[in-house]
Amino acid sequence: MMDPKMLAKMGINVETFGDMNAFGDPNWYQAFNNPGYYNETHKSLRALIRPFVDEELMPNIHEWDEAYKIPQEVYQKIGQMGLLPMTVGRPWPKKFAGECPLGYEPDYFHELVLYDELSRTGSGGFLWGLAGGLVIGLPPVLKWATPEVKEKVVAPVLKAEKVICLAITEPMAGSDVAQLRCTAKKEGDFYIVNGEKKWITNGIFADYFTVAVRTGSQKDGMKGLSLLLIEKSMPGVTTRKMKCSGVWSSGTTYITFDDVKVPAKNLIGKENAGFKMIMANFNHERFAICCMTNRFSRVCLEEALKFSSKRKTFGKALIQHDVIRWKLGEMVRQIESTHAWLENLTYQMQTMHHMEATMKLGGSTALLKVQCTKVFEYCAREAAQIFGGLAYSRGGQGEKVERLSREVRAMAVPGGSEEIMLDLGIRQSKKLADMAQKILVKQHKAKL
C-alpha cells in the first residue's frame, strides 16, 4: 500500500471523511475531487454535525420513534447549535436570529449538508419531528406576516423555544389545494375560523399554526384562499395525534377549528392571496424532502452493504453472490445519479435570482422529488430483501431498513404526490420552453 503523503505529493486526492464504506457518503467525502460547490465552511459544518449524530442521536432514535416523541431538550440542543435558521431559506434571518454563530453566511449547500448529515439517522420521524413544521411553517411568517406577528413568533421558533407547523391538507383536499374548505369569516377585527386539517406534521406539539383558510367563496377556488397565523392556545382549537405507518416521532396530527376567534392582524400577506404564497413555499419544501430522501436511500444501501459483507449463506458471504452485487449496483447507480441532480438543483437555487428560481425551478424540483422518492422506494425494498427477516423486525440489526421501509409513502405523498409532481414538472417545463421559443422568434424577426 502506498504512503498517503506520497500520493498527496503526486497530486492524488487522499482527503476522506467518515468511515469510508463504499458509496456510504457523497463521493467528495471519499477522496473524489470536490465538484466545486463546497468550501471549508461546508466541511466544518459536516464535522460539527457528524459526531453529534453518531454520539447523541443514533443511539436513541429507535427509542424516540417507539415513544412517538423526540425529547424537547434535543430540539433545543440543535437550536443552541445555531442550525435551525439554516432551514428557512436565504438569507440568514439576522434580525430575529442575530449573526450566524457558525461565523459565515450559510448558503443552500450548507442546508443540503445539514439535511444530509442529519438523515444518516435513517429516521423520517426524527427529521420531520425536528424541522418538518419549521421548514414549511415559518417561511410564510418570515416573508409576509405583519411586523407585530413576526416579532412575536419568529425568534422564539428559531431558538427552539416554540414550535410552528404548516396546516394546509384537509380530509377532503390534499394536492388539490384550491378545494380547501376550512373557512375564515371576517367579523370586525377578527376572523372566525371553522374546519379541519389532517396529517399535519408537528401539530400535536406545535404552539403556532400557519393555516390555509378560505376567505372567499368555494366557487372562488384558488383565488379565495388566505393564510392565517393561529395559536394553539386560542379557544376552539383541538388536536389529536394520528396513528400512521411511519414517521412516528414527527407528531402527525388531526386539527379541528371550532369558531376560533383569530385577530385580523394575524393575516399573513393579503386576503385571498394565499394560494400564491402556498405555491411559493412548495419549492423549498420539496428541496428539503429531496435532500432527506436521497440520504435515506444511501442509508439503505450502506446498511445492506455492511450486512451482506458479514452475513453468510451457502458457505459464503452474501456479497459474494452475484445477485446481491447486482442489487447493490442498481442501488448505487440510482443514488449517485440522483445526488448529482440534487447538487445541480442546489447550485441553480444558489446562483439564480429569487424571481428567476421561482419561475424556472418549479418543474425540475417537482421531477427531482419524484426521482428521489422512487429511488428510495427501490432501495428500501432491495435492502429489505438483503436483510430478510431482520428487516421485518423492529429494532436490532435491521432497525434502519425496517423503519425506512415504512416511511417510503411519507416521502412520496407529502409535498405533492408523484403523480401530481410528474404532471406539474412537464407542464411547467413546457411552459418555459414555449416562452423561450417565443423570445427566439422575436429575436430572429428583430434581426431581419
Side-chain angles (χ1 to χ4, degrees):
M1 181 177 178
M2 295 186 70
D3 181 3
K5 291 182 179 179
M6 182 183 299
L7 293 173
K9 286 181 180 179
M10 294 167 61
I12 295 173
N13 189 344
V14 293
E15 183 181 1
T16 63
F17 182 85
D19 53 16
M20 287 301 292
N21 287 312
F23 306 103
D25 282 307
N27 60 25
W28 69 280
Y29 287 40
Q30 301 193 330
F32 277 67
N33 292 336
N34 187 328
Y37 305 133
Y38 308 98
N39 56 38
E40 291 304 316
T41 64
H42 301 99
K43 294 177 183 179
S44 67
L45 178 63
R46 182 180 66 177
L48 171 69
I49 302 171
R50 179 139 314 194
F52 174 67
V53 170
D54 287 344
E55 297 164 17
E56 299 190 41
L57 301 184
M58 290 273 206
N60 301 299
I61 289 292
H62 178 67
E63 179 184 337
W64 296 338
D65 207 52
E66 295 288 320
Y68 285 73
K69 189 176 182 181
I70 302 166
Q72 184 64 17
E73 55 266 28
V74 176
Y75 188 67
Q76 291 170 345
K77 173 69 179 292
I78 293 175
Q80 291 164 6
M81 292 170 71
L83 301 178
L84 294 182
M86 205 178 291
T87 68
V88 295
R90 308 281 82 78
W92 178 269
K94 187 185 303 184
K95 181 178 178 181
F96 302 100
E99 295 287 347
C100 178
L102 301 174
Y104 50 82
E105 174 69 22
D107 60 25
Y108 283 112
F109 282 100
H110 290 102
E111 189 174 356
L112 168 57
V113 169
L114 172 64
Y115 293 138
D116 190 62
E117 285 293 320
L118 289 175
S119 297
R120 291 179 56 250
T121 55
S123 171
F126 176 78
L127 266 294
W128 284 20
L130 170 69
L134 171 67
V135 171
I136 56 180
L138 191 61
V141 176
L142 194 58
K143 293 175 184 175
W144 299 298
T146 63
E148 185 178 351
V149 169
K150 288 181 183 180
E151 197 66 34
K152 180 178 182 178
V153 173
V154 178
V157 169
L158 292 177
K159 293 176 183 176
E161 296 169 357
K162 298 286 186 178
V163 176
I164 194 169
C165 69
L166 182 69
I168 293 180
T169 304
E170 298 179 1
M172 300 300 292
S175 295
D176 191 1
V177 176
Q179 298 307 311
L180 295 179
R181 300 178 182 182
C182 183
T183 60
K185 304 294 184 183
K186 187 78 177 289
E187 292 186 6
D189 294 330
F190 294 89
Y191 286 97
I192 307 302
V193 179
N194 285 282
E196 299 168 314
K197 297 293 178 179
K198 195 173 184 181
W199 298 292
I200 305 305
T201 302
N202 295 178
I204 201 69
F205 45 77
D207 301 286
Y208 304 113
F209 308 108
T210 299
V211 185
V213 294
R214 181 161 297 284
T215 43
S217 69
Q218 199 68 36
K219 291 181 180 179
D220 291 331
M222 67 180 70
K223 295 180 181 179
L225 299 179
S226 300
L227 291 179
L228 280 177
L229 191 284
I230 299 179
E231 298 180 43
K232 181 181 281 185
S233 59
M234 292 176 175
V237 178
T238 58
T239 60
R240 64 176 174 84
K241 184 179 290 186
M242 296 178 63
K243 292 185 177 180
C244 300
S245 297
V247 293
W248 292 347
S249 56
S250 69
T252 308
T253 307
Y254 195 105
I255 306 173
T256 302
F257 301 109
D258 185 9
D259 286 335
V260 181
K261 195 174 181 180
V262 183
K265 66 185 180 183
N266 282 25
L267 180 69
I268 299 172
K270 296 180 180 179
E271 187 172 282
N272 296 327
F275 187 79
K276 287 185 178 180
M277 290 183 279
I278 293 168
M279 292 300 106
N281 205 38
F282 268 134
N283 279 355
H284 185 249
E285 175 186 3
R286 289 165 187 158
F287 166 70
I289 291 174
C290 289
C291 297
M292 297 174 193
T293 303
N294 206 51
R295 171 57 87 159
F296 290 156
S297 299
R298 198 181 291 279
V299 169
C300 291
L301 166 65
E302 183 178 18
E303 292 296 301
L305 183 60
K306 289 190 293 187
F307 179 75
S308 65
S309 297
K310 64 182 180 180
R311 175 79 161 98
K312 290 186 176 181
T313 60
F314 306 104
K316 57 183 179 181
L318 276 178
I319 200 167
Q320 293 178 318
H321 294 280
D322 295 353
V323 69
I324 300 299
R325 293 196 299 274
W326 178 84
K327 289 178 182 292
L328 295 169
E330 284 290 303
M331 293 160 74
V332 168
R333 71 171 181 82
Q334 294 179 63
I335 292 166
E336 291 298 322
S337 58
T338 303
H339 194 79
W341 186 356
L342 176 57
E343 287 182 322
N344 178 266
L345 176 69
T346 308
Y347 178 75
Q348 303 309 320
M349 292 169 61
Q350 183 62 30
T351 55
M352 282 184 180
H353 185 280
H354 178 72
M355 183 177 69
E356 181 185 10
T358 300
M359 180 177 68
K360 290 183 177 179
L361 298 183
S364 56
T365 304
L367 293 174
L368 177 59
K369 180 181 181 291
V370 178
Q371 173 71 8
C372 288
T373 56
K374 283 185 173 291
V375 170
F376 179 31
E377 184 165 20
Y378 179 86
C379 292
R381 183 193 185 280
E382 292 304 317
Q385 289 297 107
I386 291 172
F387 269 86
L390 290 171
Y392 193 65
S393 309
R394 298 220 299 267
Q397 292 184 73
E399 173 199 325
K400 290 181 181 178
V401 173
E402 184 277 329
R403 182 170 55 239
L404 289 171
S405 295
R406 285 188 280 105
E407 297 182 341
V408 170
R409 296 270 68 77
M411 299 294 158
V413 176
S417 68
E418 291 176 349
E419 293 77 10
I420 297 294
M421 293 296 92
L422 288 166
D423 178 65
L424 173 66
I426 297 303
R427 281 193 294 107
Q428 290 209 356
S429 300
K430 180 68 167 61
K431 184 178 179 180
L432 277 175
D434 290 344
M435 289 172 59
Q437 288 169 357
K438 288 179 181 178
I439 292 172
L440 284 174
V441 169
K442 285 184 178 180
Q443 290 175 338
H444 178 69
K445 288 181 177 179
K447 292 178 180 179
L448 295 177

